Amino acid sequence: MDLSTQYLGLELRNPIIVGSSGLTSSVEKIKNAEKCGAGAVVLKSIFEEEVALEYADFMKTAKGFAADSQYFDYDGRKIPIDYYNYVVREENLKKYVTLIEESKKAVSIPVIASINCFLQSVEWMAYAKQLEAAGADALELNMFFPPTDFKQKRVDLESIYFKVTEQVTQHLSIPTALKISHYFTDLGPMIQRLSQTGIGGLVLFNRYFSPDFDIDKFETTNAFVFSSPSDLAMSLRWIAIMAEKVDCDLAASTGIHDGDAVIKQLLAGADAVQVASCLYQHGVAYLGEMLERLENWMSRKGFKRISGFKGKMSQAKSTDPSVYERVQFMKVYGGKKNVVV
């Protein structure tokens, strides 16, 4: 079977991409992903927030630092605070650039860089240009501005996404994907409008930190670190709805835990799928099992290429488009047939 496909204008040997995670944080891990069958990798994100926090933590402990001072004492030398901020950022960026450069030399599959945009910072654009110069095949912008500022209007928050995509399409030559969440009031129209900005692709959907409570220690802990197979429902619905309604590629993410889930997303209309949680749980070699399942299914169904069935079950090609928009459970009785939806 020919599993090759295109995503962001890149040639992929198959549609399964190892998503941004610790599984893509080093050259050796990326080489292993290629060996195990990955069609591409998205590097572990460089987090603007982490860089900012590292700087803030240092400032709390800097010897001789005063709140109103512009310098701190480092081995008897007066170092400008702004200079240290610059060094922190540059050191983190340098490590990431090195990861891109070395990965490109070590593997033949596409290497996609990733930036996690922090709040409304403009720092990411400077990062993006350097990642492009380092040789990244594409860039994934991991964007989410939580709607927790109750004084900020929805339209103002959503406008940031369009400002970002405008800058991307104007200043970068490599293709760029936007990884977004489903937390929009008008999700369908928002996805469509973003696709019309000139962006190369949209990844549906992101996965976020969720807090849990330790009821004995009264502490906040991590919860639901990995996705579950049931999480597939959200992205599957929206890939199916948006296929053929967007002007860019679509990648499915979250809840893809086996070969069947890959097949379903491709049938819905995804150009590629991103996986991570299942590889943490089963090992990166599990990619081989997922690909084998895809190949066997294609052989059994008589499909020689991905294009032969991609989007076959999208809403646009459905005989009952309303089923993709239904939100309530109904039991319909008619004659001898009992249909549970």
Side-chain angles (χ1 to χ4, degrees):
M1 299 298 104
D2 181 2
L3 303 185
S4 64
T5 188
Q6 282 197 345
Y7 173 61
L8 301 179
L10 304 171
E11 295 290 338
L12 274 60
R13 61 182 180 178
N14 67 68
I16 305 181
I17 300 172
V18 179
S20 177
S21 62
L23 299 169
T24 58
S25 61
S26 72
V27 176
E28 288 305 313
K29 291 179 179 180
I30 292 165
K31 288 169 63 177
N32 187 47
E34 179 185 48
K35 178 182 176 182
C36 291
V41 294
V42 182
L43 301 182
K44 187 177 187 300
S45 295
I46 180 170
F47 282 76
E48 287 187 275
E49 185 177 8
E50 287 183 345
V51 176
L53 289 172
E54 181 180 341
Y55 170 68
D57 288 343
F58 182 86
M59 288 297 100
K60 292 177 182 177
T61 60
K63 183 180 178 181
F65 173 68
D68 59 348
S69 175
Q70 295 182 359
Y71 301 87
F72 63 88
D73 190 336
Y74 182 76
D75 288 342
R77 293 179 297 159
K78 295 291 185 180
I79 306 295
I81 293 170
D82 288 342
Y83 177 73
Y84 182 77
N85 188 15
Y86 168 79
V87 170
V88 169
R89 292 177 182 276
E90 287 300 304
E91 283 299 313
N92 278 273
L93 186 56
K94 183 179 178 180
K95 293 176 183 176
Y96 203 75
V97 165
T98 300
L99 176 61
I100 294 172
E101 293 173 342
E102 293 183 353
S103 297
K104 284 297 297 173
K105 293 176 183 177
V107 299
S108 59
I109 59 175
V111 175
I112 303 171
S114 176
I115 299 176
N116 191 289
C117 300
F118 176 47
L119 299 180
Q120 301 180 33
S121 168
V122 295
E123 293 281 346
W124 66 269
M125 195 63 212
Y127 288 11
K129 289 182 177 180
Q130 293 195 52
L131 304 188
E132 177 184 41
D137 294 296
L139 175 67
E140 182 176 283
L141 288 176
N142 192 333
M143 292 184 64
F144 180 51
F145 308 123
T148 51
D149 184 346
F150 297 103
K151 296 180 181 179
Q152 190 168 32
K153 295 180 179 179
R154 173 181 63 86
V155 291
D156 294 334
L157 195 61
E158 292 180 355
S159 69
I160 302 171
Y161 291 84
F162 294 96
K163 291 177 183 178
V164 168
T165 53
E166 180 181 0
Q167 288 182 295
V168 165
T169 54
Q170 288 182 356
H171 295 97
L172 294 184
S173 59
I174 58 174
T176 304
L178 206 59
K179 192 171 188 178
I180 62 172
S181 78
H182 57 271
Y183 294 110
F184 290 104
T185 303
D186 304 310
L187 181 56
M190 184 68 173
I191 292 173
Q192 187 176 65
R193 287 169 56 208
L194 285 171
S195 79
Q196 295 166 348
T197 61
I199 205 82
L202 288 164
V203 184
L204 311 182
F205 293 105
N206 214 328
R207 183 171 178 78
Y208 304 107
F209 167 83
S210 296
D212 196 4
F213 295 157
D214 185 319
I215 60 174
D216 293 318
K217 297 180 180 179
F218 301 102
E219 294 177 351
T220 304
T221 61
N222 296 343
F224 316 113
V225 176
F226 298 129
S227 70
S228 67
S230 62
D231 292 327
L232 179 74
M234 177 66 75
S235 58
L236 186 67
R237 175 199 288 256
W238 283 100
I239 290 289
I241 290 174
M242 298 312 302
E244 299 192 30
K245 295 187 181 73
V246 292
D247 295 337
C248 69
D249 291 341
L250 291 175
S253 178
T254 299
I256 302 165
H257 279 247
D258 54 30
D260 284 4
V262 173
I263 295 166
K264 289 176 183 180
Q265 291 287 16
L266 294 172
L267 283 168
D271 296 285
V273 301
Q274 293 190 8
V275 297
S277 291
C278 65
L279 303 185
Y280 275 109
Q281 295 168 333
H282 302 292
V284 179
Y286 186 62
L287 285 167
E289 293 186 33
M290 299 174 79
L291 289 168
E292 183 179 8
R293 170 58 177 162
L294 173 59
E295 283 187 326
N296 290 341
W297 178 85
M298 288 174 62
S299 177
R300 182 160 53 87
K301 294 296 183 180
F303 297 115
K304 295 189 178 298
R305 297 178 181 81
I306 299 290
S307 58
F309 65 92
K310 189 179 77 173
K312 185 178 178 66
M313 295 188 68
S314 65
Q315 185 185 43
K317 295 180 178 177
S318 174
T319 56
D320 184 12
S322 64
V323 74
Y324 296 88
E325 300 174 10
R326 189 168 294 144
V327 293
Q328 301 296 340
F329 293 93
M330 298 188 299
K331 196 168 188 178
V332 181
Y333 297 93
K336 296 181 180 180
K337 295 182 180 179
N338 289 335
V339 182
V340 179
V341 179

